[in-house]
Amino acid sequence: TEAILLASGKGLPQDLSAARQLCEQAAQAGEIDAQRMLAMMLERGDGVEQNLEAAKQWYQTAADNGDPQAAERLKELRE
């Protein structure tokens, strides 16, 4: 997706803020990969102020929607 390209800088100039905005829109629309990616950005502070509580919430949402990677990362953060 465009958000991944913006976040990585592959094919487009890197723009973490724009990537976060696109991820947030897609995450709110129910896109599971975007939910996990937004959680990772929030966890690391990529393009947004680091916010572990918000990251956990998005990992939980993605996990609830069937994302096993999000479920595993959420488990790790809670340990």
Side-chain angles (χ1 to χ4, degrees):
T1 68
E2 186 177 356
I4 293 170
L5 295 175
L6 287 167
S8 68
K10 294 180 182 174
L12 294 172
Q14 187 177 35
D15 186 341
L16 293 174
S17 180
R20 184 210 41 87
Q21 289 176 346
L22 289 171
C23 272
E24 190 166 359
Q25 290 172 357
Q28 290 174 347
E31 294 290 331
I32 298 169
D33 290 337
Q35 292 168 347
R36 181 175 17 90
M37 186 172 176
L38 180 58
M40 289 188 298
M41 294 179 87
L42 287 161
E43 180 184 355
R44 295 185 287 211
D46 292 342
V48 64
E49 185 175 328
Q50 186 180 34
N51 185 332
L52 291 178
E53 290 308 311
K56 288 176 189 177
Q57 290 173 354
W58 279 111
Y59 281 129
Q60 183 68 61
T61 299
D64 289 346
N65 287 319
D67 186 323
Q69 293 173 324
E72 181 61 31
R73 186 65 189 133
L74 183 61
K75 180 181 173 187
E76 291 169 357
L77 288 174
R78 289 183 172 162
E79 292 177 349

